Amino acid sequence: MRFHIYRFDPDVDPRPRMQAYDLPDSPADRMLLDALVRLKDMDDSLSFRRSCREGVCGSDAMNINGRNGLACIQPLHALKQPVVLRPLPGFPVIRDLIVDMTQFFAHYEAVRPYLINDQPPPERERLQSPQARDSLNGLYECILCACCSGFCPSYWWNPDKFIGPAGLLQAYRFIADSRDTATAERLADLDDVYKLYRCRTIMNCTEVCPKQLSPSRAIERIRLALTKASI
Amino acid sequence: MAVRPEALAGRRNPAGLPRFLNLFAIRFPIGAIASIGHRLSGACLVLAMLWLPDTLARSLRSQGDYDALLAAWRSPWMAPLEFLILWAFCYHVLAGLRHLLMDVGVGARLPAARASARLVLGLGFAIALVLLVARRWP
Amino acid sequence: MRQFTGQRAWLVQRLSALLLLCATAALGIYLLIEGPPGYPAWLAFARHPAGSTLILAVTAALCLHGWVGARDVVLDYLHRPAWRLCVLALVATALGLVFLRVLVVLAATLAHAP
């Protein structure tokens, strides 16, 4: 199987380059990550992040044949050859397929991704109806892999000021949570020129989410909530 | 270790590291094509708007000016420009309608969004063509 | 209470879009049924208080809608403050002048009543 992989060693390369690899087929290989691990056996300098190998940690997000995805759940047989692997678009490249996620996580922390409820805690749980709990479906499952933000043109042009689809999805996860009491502050915080309103509903995010989540829908809900709050 | 985003504001690439942003190497979904079309057509229309006051003034000045204005846009030389503006307008309106509907949740799910993107791209071109032909048909 | 800022631009864009959509539909239906108006009918429309107000409202909506759109494009692609200021000022001036000129044209048309 033929691969073209983005290589960049800051200590050696003046600029990134593409390197071709020919990997002998193996029946044991099912997912792209299997191939990458064998490629690393061939060339130990090839670097990429990986951990759970089952699509829940989000470590191995990368650009696969032009679209973002997780290497560990990308079936090899579905990939057109040569398989072209590049790091997440728009993210600073530390080395090969490893990108700097600092800004991405900073945006996540900026939306205060934790329950805010200053009322005295009840004896047991803060209760929530099954319907209220259902409203969190499609929001809590985010693994922060950055496939979405790495495919969002608005995030490419303003990664420092636009929160990005992942951060906004998590912001909505807490706006929608019936147990959270800081809804008004959360909404007001998102209402500025950049944080939320750079989104143009291009929907690239929803196209590439490996967990089939819809950040565009979450952003649409935040906008409606903001509009309702201003009437 | 947490970094406040304000500390990174204004620095789109704080570490000065390379970034992969070769748009030709990225496989854009149909929705992205529809979106860039919306932006390009909008830019064309804003530019075309600069001619609006002058066109309005001429159309109101006299019968002769009015007729000349309509006749000018019938000349074959103006056909490509007229098509461009018609296409930009039709496409921008249809794509805008798609956005307005998505704002209220209609067609916001992925399969519907893809289908509506294709529809808008095709319909915009088709309607512009029909309008151009209809206007110039003797 | 914080003033809603990013949202204001978004609402202006959406509301002006709705107005323009209605105007386009109305114009489209009129042209389909009646065909292009003759000069006397067009002049009478522009002189009529309702007609001239409509033309002005549509122009205002166009300028506001165009402004929000152009601003979005500038905010996306131009990051250096000097460039931003120049281009935004240019666009704002151009669109502002479009509106003012249309106002002047309509006023002149009203003034030259036969």
Side-chain angles (χ1 to χ4, degrees):
Chain A
M1 225 181 160
R2 184 137 251 252
F3 292 84
H4 288 316
I5 304 184
Y6 185 103
R7 301 299 311 277
F8 175 69
D9 183 342
D11 297 327
V12 171
D13 298 312
R15 72 185 69 80
R17 57 191 172 84
M18 296 299 285
Q19 184 169 339
Y21 291 91
D22 276 304
L23 186 72
D25 292 331
S26 160
D29 282 353
R30 281 174 49 243
M31 300 298 180
L32 177 60
L33 184 63
D34 300 330
L36 274 169
V37 167
R38 285 207 299 129
L39 281 166
K40 192 168 172 67
D41 285 338
M42 279 168 53
D43 175 2
D44 197 49
S45 69
L46 179 64
S47 307
F48 50 91
R49 289 194 179 111
R50 83 283 175 274
S51 182
C52 74
R53 63 115 185 75
E54 61 177 12
V56 294
C57 74
S59 305
D60 57 5
M62 58 184 72
N63 189 268
I64 305 164
N65 283 352
R67 289 265 172 107
N68 289 358
L70 299 178
C72 59
I73 53 173
Q74 171 59 57
L76 270 172
H77 68 83
L79 290 175
K80 249 192 263 183
Q81 288 191 50
V83 177
V84 181
L85 300 180
R86 289 189 167 100
L88 288 177
F91 282 64
V93 179
I94 297 173
R95 179 174 167 149
D96 296 344
L97 300 170
I98 300 174
V99 295
D100 187 338
M101 302 278 278
T102 314
Q103 218 160 35
F104 177 79
F105 286 127
H107 284 308
Y108 173 60
E109 294 187 55
V111 303
R112 294 184 293 165
Y114 41 82
L115 197 72
I116 298 174
N117 188 326
D118 294 324
Q119 284 151 22
E123 227 179 78
R124 295 177 69 186
E125 317 94 333
R126 293 192 188 279
L127 292 178
Q128 188 173 52
S129 72
Q131 293 89 335
R133 168 59 190 81
D134 283 344
S135 70
L136 300 179
N137 290 344
L139 302 172
Y140 77 88
E141 302 96 321
C142 174
I143 59 176
L144 293 172
C145 65
C147 281
C148 59
S149 295
F151 213 52
C152 172
S154 298
Y155 191 75
W156 294 340
W157 317 139
N158 282 293
D160 53 335
K161 293 192 245 182
F162 177 48
I163 300 240
L168 291 169
L169 183 88
Q170 286 311 297
Y172 185 65
R173 178 251 172 277
F174 287 96
I175 289 168
D177 197 323
S178 59
R179 302 163 297 172
D180 186 271
T181 56
T183 313
E185 290 93 323
R186 292 181 188 277
L187 287 174
D189 187 55
L190 288 173
D191 184 18
D192 87 351
V193 178
Y194 289 98
K195 288 187 184 157
L196 167 78
Y197 283 100
R198 289 297 88 213
C199 173
R200 303 263 68 81
T201 325
I202 300 170
M203 282 186 76
N204 269 13
C205 50
T206 308
E207 285 270 2
V208 295
C209 177
K211 309 303 282 179
Q212 284 81 49
L213 306 182
S214 185
S216 55
R217 187 177 152 278
I219 294 170
E220 161 210 313
R221 292 288 168 93
I222 301 176
R223 278 198 272 240
L224 284 174
L226 274 166
T227 310
K228 259 190 233 156
S230 71
I231 291 175
Chain B
M1 195 188 67
V3 177
R4 299 183 67 82
E6 301 89 79
L8 298 167
R11 303 166 71 208
R12 285 169 299 126
N13 189 355
L17 298 170
R19 296 194 294 170
F20 162 51
L21 262 180
N22 178 0
L23 300 180
F24 294 107
I26 292 170
R27 203 162 37 101
F28 288 99
I30 192 82
I33 312 290
S35 187
I36 195 69
H38 198 197
R39 181 161 273 199
L40 286 170
S41 60
C44 281
L45 291 171
V46 165
L47 214 63
M49 246 204 274
L50 299 176
W51 274 265
L52 188 72
D54 194 54
T55 310
L56 183 72
R58 269 202 268 159
S59 75
L60 292 169
R61 202 173 300 148
S62 74
Q63 175 79 55
D65 287 304
Y66 184 76
D67 294 331
L69 204 66
L70 288 180
W73 279 95
R74 289 236 157 81
S75 108
W77 299 112
M78 299 293 276
L81 183 65
E82 185 182 352
F83 181 69
L84 204 71
I85 297 179
L86 276 174
W87 187 17
F89 182 75
C90 291
Y91 182 76
H92 195 86
V93 170
L94 286 171
L97 191 62
R98 174 175 176 261
H99 271 305
L100 287 172
L101 288 170
M102 288 208 294
D103 279 344
V104 290
V106 177
R109 291 183 198 280
L110 205 54
R114 283 186 193 139
S116 68
R118 263 180 243 123
L119 184 72
V120 163
L121 281 162
L123 216 60
F125 186 84
I127 293 180
L129 203 64
V130 163
L131 286 175
L132 183 78
V133 169
R135 257 189 43 80
R136 284 158 178 275
W137 204 260
Chain C
M1 180 60 158
R2 272 185 65 164
Q3 297 258 8
F4 289 95
T5 52
Q7 191 200 25
R8 199 177 286 160
W10 184 81
L11 271 174
V12 164
Q13 191 185 53
R14 260 53 182 177
L15 292 173
S16 60
L18 281 170
L19 192 151
L20 290 168
L21 211 66
C22 291
T24 306
L27 183 69
I29 294 170
Y30 173 83
L31 288 175
L32 220 69
I33 298 176
E34 299 279 334
Y39 176 70
W42 169 234
L43 189 66
F45 180 75
R47 284 216 175 114
H48 196 274
S52 55
T53 309
L54 200 69
I55 296 172
L56 203 63
V58 166
T59 308
L62 274 172
C63 290
L64 284 170
H65 191 84
W67 165 245
V68 177
R71 180 179 152 274
D72 277 337
V73 172
V74 170
L75 291 179
D76 269 353
Y77 304 133
L78 289 178
H79 293 100
R80 267 191 256 155
W83 275 110
R84 257 198 199 168
L85 192 68
C86 282
V87 177
L88 283 176
L90 204 74
V91 175
T93 311
L95 291 175
L97 284 174
V98 163
F99 178 74
L100 286 172
R101 281 201 61 208
V102 166
L103 184 66
V104 165
V105 165
L106 288 174
T109 313
L110 277 165
H112 285 107

